[in-house]
Each structure stands twice: as structure tokens, then as C-alpha cells.
Amino acid sequence: MTTRIPLMAGNWKMNLNHLEAIAQVQKLSQYLTDAKHDFATAEAAVLVPYTDLRSVQTLVDSDNLPIEYGAQDVSEHASGAYTGDISADMLKSLGVKFCAVGHSERREYYGETDALVNAKVRALAAADIVSIVCVGEALEIRKAGNHVPYTVDSLKGSIADLSPEELAKTVIAYEPVWAIGTGEVATPADAQEVIGALREAIAEMYDADVADAMRILYGGSVKSGNVAEIMAEKDIDGALVGGASLDPEEFSKIVRFADHA
Ligand code: PEP
């Protein structure tokens, strides 16, 4: 019997400055509190720009908010002459719990490879930060019918040689590139097909218990109107949400997916 607690993570991308971030998190928290959301049934996290982290940390700590927060990327290096980079330890000192790694926008615009993603996941695990490892295929790969092997290979490269302890500090997000920010949602069955295959791959690499404990999210044009049917699939443990996470009321409804199941 699985004990995976659903996770709804909002990826703000390069939106909202630190003042806007404070207002956004306050509103999100208010919507969830007003609705008496039980965070034991679904966690809510926001992945914010680096410049918002200190403000979000101060708000969450001072008001004791049940919202979790994180970053959208990290350096694979621990410290040194890497101009512009931010280390896992720097994130840790800001109370960061989650960090996205290998988002398709980073893979596409900055050439991030599975090997680099793997190095970043290790750096985060060493700092006790949970990686949200993103994998997913482009439209041509899906059209050619290669989406399952492609995504499984990408996952294997991204989590290669992680110890079970390191792997326990990761969440996987299946995000088909053609469904991100496009309004095109994979059908629940499409998402389940790939996510089920990812869980099987983890079982082969580790064992059934490790695979059963792993949270695997779906991402790609998730909204309050489609989240319940996606969450009804047996292997889907939450969502990575871009556009809809910028509207706090809409995101609160996604977090409360069980209400409109
Ligand atoms: C994302 O950025 O990870 C994402 C899934 O975006 P959207 O929800 O806007 O498709």
C-alpha cells in the first residue's frame, strides 16, 4: 500500500518580483486556509525566482504558513568561480525544500543534458534539498511513437548511480514538452502510460519498494478543470504547474483537486 502524499508544485518561472511574491504567497495561503485545506492530503509548494526566496522564507517563517517553497535551478558546483551561479548550500540557508532540475526550458535554452541534471541532483541531495527532476519528450518523438523509451532513458541518465538515500530526496516530473504552456494537455491515459513506465524503470534500477515510494508528477497545462482526472490515474502523484500557478485562486483549486474529483 502506497503512502505517497500528492505534491502540487507551482513553477513561477521568471515571473513576480519579491514584493509580488509576498502578495502571491499570502493570497495562496488565504485561499487554502479559507477552504480548510488539509495539507496532509496534498502538499503545496511554489518554485520561485532566486530573488524572491528570502522574502518568501521570511513570510512563511513569520506567519508559520504551511506552504513549501523552492528554487527552479541550482549549480552543480559547491562554490567558486562560477559567475552567476547559485549553490545548493546557498539555497539550503534560505530554507529551500525543493528545487526543479532539468526543466525542459533549461534543457532547450541552456543545453542542459541528463549528465548535468544528474550532477545537480547530487549537489541538492548533499544539501538535503529535494530535486524535482523533469523529463519529457518533444512532439516529434511522440509522433514517432518513441515517447516511452526516450523518457525512460532520460530518467535513467538523470538519476544514474544515485544511492537509494539520494534517490529518496527526489521527485520526478513527467512533462511532455509539447504540453508545456501550450494549452495541450496529455490525456490522463497518455500521462499514465509514461509515468507507469518510469515507475517500472525505477523498480528495475532499485526495487519495488523504492519505486512505490517515489512521487512522480505530471506537468503540462494542468488547471483546476483537468487536475482531478489526471490525479485519478494510479501512478500520478501530483502536478508541476506553470501558467496556472500564477493565479493563486486557481492554484489553490489545483491543490484541492480532491474537492472536484
Ligand atoms: C511547467 O512550466 O513546468 C509547466 C508545466 O507549465 P504549464 O503548466 O504552463 O504548461
Side-chain angles (χ1 to χ4, degrees), residues 29-37:
S29 164
Q30 198 59 55
Y31 281 119
L32 290 169
T33 308
D34 288 350
K36 300 193 175 18
H37 177 64

Side-chain angles (χ1 to χ4, degrees), residues 11 13 103 105 175 179-182 219-222 240-243:
N11 171 18
K13 312 194 184 194
H103 189 278
E105 287 150 17
E175 298 209 303
I180 296 180
T182 60
S221 299
V222 171
L240 184 53
V241 184

Side-chain angles (χ1 to χ4, degrees), residues 40-54:
T41 62
E43 291 179 44
V46 288
L47 308 181
V48 307
Y50 291 135
T51 49
D52 295 356
L53 282 170
R54 179 64 174 148

Side-chain angles (χ1 to χ4, degrees), residues 2-249:
T2 173
T3 53
R4 304 188 300 264
I5 296 172
L7 169 65
M8 298 299 171
N11 171 18
W12 290 2
K13 312 194 184 194
M14 196 172 69
N15 294 293
L16 307 179
N17 67 30
H18 70 292
L19 298 174
E20 294 163 332
I22 292 170
Q24 182 87 355
V25 173
Q26 279 171 330
K27 283 185 203 154
L28 175 60
S29 164
Q30 198 59 55
Y31 281 119
L32 290 169
T33 308
D34 288 350
K36 300 193 175 18
H37 177 64
D38 177 1
F39 287 85
T41 62
E43 291 179 44
V46 288
L47 308 181
V48 307
Y50 291 135
T51 49
D52 295 356
L53 282 170
R54 179 64 174 148
S55 304
V56 171
Q57 177 191 33
T58 303
L59 173 66
V60 164
D61 286 356
S62 63
D63 292 4
N64 204 14
L65 303 183
I67 312 269
E68 287 155 343
Y69 59 92
Q72 301 168 14
D73 187 31
V74 69
S75 172
E76 71 275 32
H77 302 292
S79 64
Y82 301 102
T83 302
D85 274 3
I86 300 289
S87 74
D89 280 348
M90 291 171 178
L91 297 180
K92 189 67 191 170
S93 68
L94 290 167
V96 159
K97 172 156 184 198
F98 294 105
C99 183
V101 190
H103 189 278
S104 64
E105 287 150 17
R106 298 219 55 90
R107 290 178 185 265
E108 182 179 350
Y109 307 143
Y110 303 98
E112 294 200 3
T113 60
D114 294 332
L116 179 61
V117 170
N118 186 250
K120 291 184 175 191
V121 172
R122 287 164 191 283
L124 288 166
D128 255 325
I129 295 173
V130 175
S131 302
I132 301 180
V133 180
C134 305
V135 290
E137 81 285 357
L139 188 58
E140 318 79 78
I141 296 170
R142 174 154 289 257
K143 280 187 173 158
N146 294 330
H147 46 287
V148 171
Y150 174 87
T151 309
V152 166
D153 275 359
S154 180
L155 176 70
K156 285 182 174 167
S158 300
I159 63 171
D161 300 323
L162 295 187
S163 67
E165 293 72 30
E166 287 173 318
L167 193 72
K169 293 175 198 162
T170 65
V171 169
I172 312 296
Y174 168 56
E175 298 209 303
V177 177
W178 48 272
I180 296 180
T182 60
E184 288 288 326
V185 194
T187 65
D190 286 339
Q192 169 60 36
E193 179 194 24
V194 177
I195 290 177
L198 295 176
R199 198 177 301 286
E200 273 171 32
I202 294 166
E204 278 164 26
M205 293 169 79
Y206 295 84
D207 62 40
D209 288 345
V210 170
D212 190 51
M214 174 63 64
R215 289 194 287 187
I216 312 184
L217 317 183
Y218 167 77
S221 299
V222 171
K223 301 191 171 40
S224 60
N226 60 26
V227 64
E229 55 178 347
I230 293 167
M231 290 302 292
E233 295 293 338
K234 74 179 173 70
D235 283 302
I236 303 182
D237 304 316
L240 184 53
V241 184
S245 74
L246 295 172
D247 174 343
E249 185 174 16

